[in-house]
Structures are given as C-alpha cells and as structure tokens.
Amino acid sequence: MNAAGTEAPKGRGGQLAAQRQATIVAEVNSRGAITVAELVDRFGVSDMTIRRDLDALDSSGLLHKVHGGATSVGLRSAHEPGFDAKLTQESAAKQAIAAEAAGRVQPDSAIGIGAGTTTYALARQLLRVENLTVVTNSARIADVFHGNSRSDRTVVLIGGIRTPSDALVGPIATAALASLHLDLLFLGAHGVDAEHGLSTPNLMEAETNRSFIGASREVVVVADHTKWGTVGLSTFATWSDLDVIVTDSGLSTAARKAMRDTGCDLVIAS
C-alpha cells in the first residue's frame, strides 16, 4: 500500500507512481481541484498516466475524478476553488446547460448573468441575440461580449472586490444593482441542496447574488449535477426565490425528485 492508499506496482516505477499519487492527493486537498493538463505539466508524464493515477485514487476514495481533472472529496464549506480550476470540470454538461438556458433569452431583453464557469459558457451562447442588455459581475463574461461587439448590445460590468472565482462583489456591486430592473437573471452556484437552497463559500458573493435576485423578475439557476448536495458557507437563495433550474442528465433520480418537491421548475438539458 502506498502513501496515497493505493496498491503500487513493484520496483522503481511503482515507487515513482506512489510518490506522484501522494503528491496529487496533497495538491487536490490543498487547492480543492486540479486539471489533468496541470498534472501532465508538473510531472512530465503522459495524459494517460495521469488519468490512470486519478482512476486509482478515485477508486480508493481519496479524490473525485471529474471530466478533465479531479476534485477533493471533502471540500470545506468555506473553500472556494478558482475559476480556472473549475473551467474544465464537467465541460460537456456545462455546454448542454448553456445551450438549453440560452433559448430562454429573447431579443430586447435586459438580463443579468452572475459569475461562474457555467454562466461563462452561457454568455458565449448569447452572442447572436439581438438588442440585448447584459449586466454582469464577471469581467470574464463581459470580455466574451466585448470580444464580439455589436451596436445593438449594451454590457454593464458591475465593479467590486474580486473573489477567487472571478466574481466582483461587495457594497459597490450591491449598490449598483439596487437601482436596476432585469427581465431575467442567470445564476450559477457552488452548492445546490434541497434543504439549504443555493450557497457559496464567499459571504460578499452571497450578498451580491441576493441583490441580483432582488433586481430580477425571473431567476434561472444553471448548475451541473455535481453541485447537488454541496452546501457552502452562506445561503443566498431559497427555493421560493427561484423560478427554474437547468441542469444535466447526470442528476440522480433521487435528486430529481427532491428538486421537483421544491416547487422550482426542473429542466434537464440533453
């Protein structure tokens, strides 16, 4: 048994694999998530070797293997992974969710888009919508629209303090939102839970999201199935605050039933 808790092959190669896997576990526990590409660069081994390491560590319960990388099995409620660490996780699911959610946006709308990697994917789907006003607290999302500028689009970037997930939050953001009236709001979430609603590890982000919700006529949550059952430090929305949640087909049967019992419309992106 090696330091990471998995069986290692005999000989020098096995020893190197054991050391590499132990380092991977330590890194994931420290950061919360890591990508295959980062591990390939760090260790100078093949993509397939890293994926075998992650398979072994996932089977041993030492981390969760996800699309494009791995996450910690025990993320603390105040831990907040960075934007880049989350960007490659469940990318296919996020694209499906974004495509489904984008169909709800009509021309001549004023919409809000909260920060996050799923909402980032949604922004790219909205580039073709005409006469759109977008309010966001994400510089990355604003850049998506600025990189494809058009005369019939207005993009408002709300300022504030930057979080590890690249959200701009705090009193400046909440004050700006207090005077706005949005037709539709799209929000991601760190955690989605039947009892605790939507949550985030960041207290100021929670307050900013509440202000976004207060400024919006309709609220759509975009969150992949891995967010289910996670509870962050601060709840920013209960189910009565929300209208629709768009998720992917990976959501379990039990979670689907629990979602429907909340009274919020559940949409499964195909």
Side-chain angles (χ1 to χ4, degrees), residues 5-269:
T6 62
E7 292 293 338
K10 303 294 184 182
R12 182 173 178 273
Q15 183 181 18
L16 292 175
Q19 293 170 346
R20 186 175 61 247
Q21 290 175 12
T23 302
I24 291 171
V25 171
E27 190 72 10
V28 170
N29 287 339
S30 172
R31 294 173 48 184
I34 199 165
T35 67
V36 170
E38 289 174 314
L39 294 171
V40 168
D41 288 342
R42 174 163 184 170
F43 294 109
V45 296
S46 69
D47 179 281
M48 186 60 67
T49 295
I50 293 298
R51 293 184 187 278
R52 282 197 295 265
D53 286 339
L54 298 183
D55 283 336
L57 294 168
D58 183 274
S59 297
S60 299
L62 295 170
L63 51 70
H64 289 309
K65 183 182 179 185
V66 297
H67 182 80
T71 62
S72 169
V73 296
L75 289 179
R76 294 175 174 84
S77 61
H79 178 79
E80 186 174 11
F83 184 94
D84 291 326
K86 295 186 291 184
L87 188 59
T88 58
Q89 297 172 16
E90 302 296 330
S91 58
K94 290 173 182 177
Q95 293 300 324
I97 292 166
E100 178 68 37
R104 297 177 171 272
V105 179
Q106 299 298 318
D108 303 303
S109 297
I111 68 169
I113 307 180
T117 52
T118 307
T119 49
Y120 177 79
L122 170 64
R124 299 177 70 84
Q125 293 281 343
L126 296 177
L127 294 175
R128 296 183 297 274
V129 179
E130 299 177 347
N131 299 314
L132 193 63
T133 297
V134 178
V135 178
T136 184
N137 66 329
S138 167
R140 299 217 191 195
I141 288 173
D143 284 344
V144 168
F145 292 107
H146 288 311
N148 183 261
S149 61
R150 47 190 297 170
S151 60
D152 62 344
R153 182 190 300 130
T154 300
V155 180
V156 179
L157 175 62
I158 294 173
I161 299 168
R162 184 177 177 180
T163 71
S165 60
D166 274 2
L168 298 175
V169 302
I172 295 174
T174 56
L177 288 165
S179 62
L180 299 181
H181 305 280
L182 303 173
D183 297 310
L184 186 60
L185 170 65
F186 296 95
L187 284 178
H190 170 81
V192 181
D193 183 77
E195 179 180 357
H196 300 285
L198 306 187
S199 59
T200 172
N202 190 293
L203 292 172
M204 285 195 293
E205 184 167 14
E207 186 62 31
T208 301
N209 284 345
R210 292 186 198 108
S211 296
F212 251 132
I213 291 169
S216 306
R217 289 195 308 169
E218 183 179 359
V219 181
V220 179
V221 180
V222 288
D224 71 75
H225 71 279
T226 64
K227 305 298 182 68
W228 180 259
T230 298
V231 179
L233 179 63
S234 179
T235 293
F236 63 84
T238 62
W239 295 108
S240 62
D241 298 317
L242 311 173
D243 297 291
V244 180
I245 181 165
V246 184
T247 188
D248 63 281
S249 58
L251 193 68
S252 69
T253 300
R256 295 185 192 204
K257 181 180 185 304
M259 279 296 313
R260 292 191 175 101
D261 289 344
T262 66
C264 183
D265 289 341
L266 175 66
V267 177
I268 304 295

